[in-house]
Amino acid sequence: MTQVLSKCEKLPDISSPRWDQNTFQGRMYHFFTTANCLNLFVSNATLERARNIVLDYKQGKYDPNMTVDELWRAKTLYDSAFHPDTGEKMFILGRMSAQVPCNMLITGGMLTFYKKLPHVIFFHWINQSFNAIVNYTNRSGVHKQDDRTLFLSYCGATTGALSCALSFNFLLKKWKNAPPLLARLVPFAAIAFANAINIPMMRNKEFTSGIPVEDADGRTMGFSTVAPEYAIPQVVLSRVGMAVPNMVFGPVILEQLSKATWYTPAMAAPLQTLLCGFMLAISTPICCALFPQKSSIQVDQLELPLQEYINKLPNPPKTVYYNKGL
């Protein structure tokens, strides 16, 4: 669509993504654009320009010669780099657009170097450190943790995750004649358990301070500590789902390739990394789209004081909305 804004009969509504977020397909299209790793190469100046375009447009100010496509491109860049609640620019490694390049290298290493203890410790520590950055960057709400709490959360998250990985490796060694493929799947089992530890630990502030809930018009109704109980399990499931193709199917494919006559052990790391990159490029946007980022909850499911406050308002909503995070 190349029509300029000045000739539009109805101006685009950029208060929400371009595609219908009530459908899985719409959410998937949205995340295929915002989680695109090419967004990482966009300059800070371009990101700031996109931010200004989006914020000015919401105030009714825009260049009449700007095309609809240019407006939506600015909105895509804004959504990919700026936090939906705080509006702050997110740390580059914490953005969803960094998931594919970073995770393909980390996961490729985890799946290739899984036999020696130092390698296991190193790659799981790197992986959980990266996950901690992503989890905190994509938290819900406007509350920031103080440095001490953030450090303790990071230590708890990485320690718990490493304990899972080492425990699985220890149990596997106790199992005599374990299939080689099973050893390759240990990293996935460790990551699945680790995500259940890392994500709540890095977002623990949401359970104490709550996350903002809004009505359909975007007006903040208050902060809920109940909403995170729905939001965080959904994020855990999405993250585990992202890992399934590259950490389950990837080892199975490599196991078959290793039987080929042309295969050499030196090919393991590059092949595993390329497989991970290909699968993550597909699984990341698909799994981000499993649940709406702007999720809903019935008012009568919230904590009682917040219910009472909302119900005393003129024309109180029956349903409120919150950013579940990614």
Side-chain angles (χ1 to χ4, degrees), residues 251-264:
V252 172
I253 294 171
L254 193 64
E255 186 72 16
Q256 296 303 311
L257 291 177
S258 66
K259 298 173 183 177
T261 53
W262 50 263
Y263 178 85
T264 64

Side-chain angles (χ1 to χ4, degrees), residues 14-323:
I14 65 167
S15 61
S16 56
R18 189 171 192 170
W19 296 276
D20 184 4
Q21 297 300 285
N22 291 318
T23 68
F24 171 75
Q25 185 179 31
R27 296 194 296 270
M28 185 178 65
Y29 286 157
H30 170 65
F31 285 111
F32 263 110
T33 58
T34 58
N36 187 337
C37 60
L38 295 178
N39 292 338
L40 294 175
F41 298 100
V42 175
S43 68
N44 283 327
T46 303
L47 289 177
E48 286 300 324
R49 187 160 56 249
R51 177 179 179 272
N52 291 333
I53 289 172
V54 169
L55 296 183
D56 286 347
Y57 186 83
K58 289 181 177 179
Q59 299 297 320
K61 298 180 288 184
Y62 58 88
D63 178 358
N65 293 318
M66 181 188 299
T67 67
V68 173
D69 279 343
E70 288 171 342
L71 175 64
W72 281 116
R73 172 61 178 161
K75 178 65 163 63
T76 295
L77 292 178
Y78 179 81
D79 287 346
S80 75
F82 295 88
H83 194 277
D85 291 333
T86 66
E88 296 177 353
K89 187 184 294 181
M90 296 184 286
F91 179 51
I92 190 167
L93 293 182
R95 300 173 195 168
M96 276 297 146
S97 48
Q99 279 285 301
V100 174
C102 291
N103 259 333
M104 68 181 283
L105 295 174
I106 296 170
T107 307
M110 290 173 63
L111 294 175
T112 304
F113 306 103
Y114 60 89
K115 294 180 179 179
K116 294 183 179 180
L117 183 62
H119 295 164
V120 172
I121 292 175
F122 174 75
F123 279 105
H124 276 282
W125 170 69
I126 289 291
N127 182 56
Q128 291 309 318
S129 296
F130 174 68
N131 283 346
I133 292 171
V134 174
N135 294 337
Y136 184 69
T137 302
N138 292 280
R139 68 195 182 278
S140 177
V142 296
H143 299 296
K144 288 187 175 181
Q145 295 191 26
D146 59 83
D147 291 342
R148 180 177 180 276
T149 304
L150 188 59
F151 176 72
L152 291 175
S153 298
Y154 165 75
C155 290
T158 51
T159 301
L162 276 171
S163 299
C164 286
L166 296 177
S167 297
F168 279 113
N169 274 278
F170 175 77
L171 291 172
L172 191 65
K173 287 180 180 179
K174 290 288 186 181
W175 183 0
K176 294 180 180 179
N177 301 318
L181 180 59
L182 192 61
R184 290 184 183 273
L185 294 176
V186 164
F188 170 71
I191 279 183
F193 277 88
N195 272 319
I197 297 171
N198 196 316
I199 294 172
M201 287 292 290
M202 293 307 298
R203 292 176 55 174
N204 68 80
K205 187 80 171 177
E206 297 173 29
F207 291 107
T208 56
S209 300
I211 58 178
V213 293
E214 305 172 341
D215 64 9
D217 297 320
R219 293 186 293 258
T220 300
M221 301 284 100
F223 290 83
S224 172
T225 55
V226 171
E229 296 175 8
Y230 295 89
I232 289 180
Q234 291 180 349
V235 174
V236 171
L237 287 173
S238 295
R239 293 292 187 79
V240 172
M242 286 181 201
V244 169
N246 57 299
M247 300 203 76
V248 176
F249 302 142
V252 172
I253 294 171
L254 193 64
E255 186 72 16
Q256 296 303 311
L257 291 177
S258 66
K259 298 173 183 177
T261 53
W262 50 263
Y263 178 85
T264 64
M267 296 179 181
L271 277 176
Q272 191 75 77
T273 303
L274 288 172
L275 279 171
C276 288
F278 173 74
M279 293 180 179
L280 280 166
I282 298 171
S283 67
T284 298
I286 287 176
C287 290
C288 281
L290 290 177
F291 306 99
Q293 185 171 3
K294 184 68 76 171
S295 296
S296 62
I297 185 172
Q298 298 299 308
V299 170
D300 59 15
Q301 292 179 284
L302 299 172
E303 50 268 54
L304 191 58
L306 185 54
Q307 284 187 44
E308 293 175 346
Y309 170 78
I310 294 175
N311 288 328
K312 288 178 182 177
L313 296 173
N315 301 315
K318 298 296 182 184
T319 303
V320 290
Y321 304 86
Y322 61 91
N323 167 33

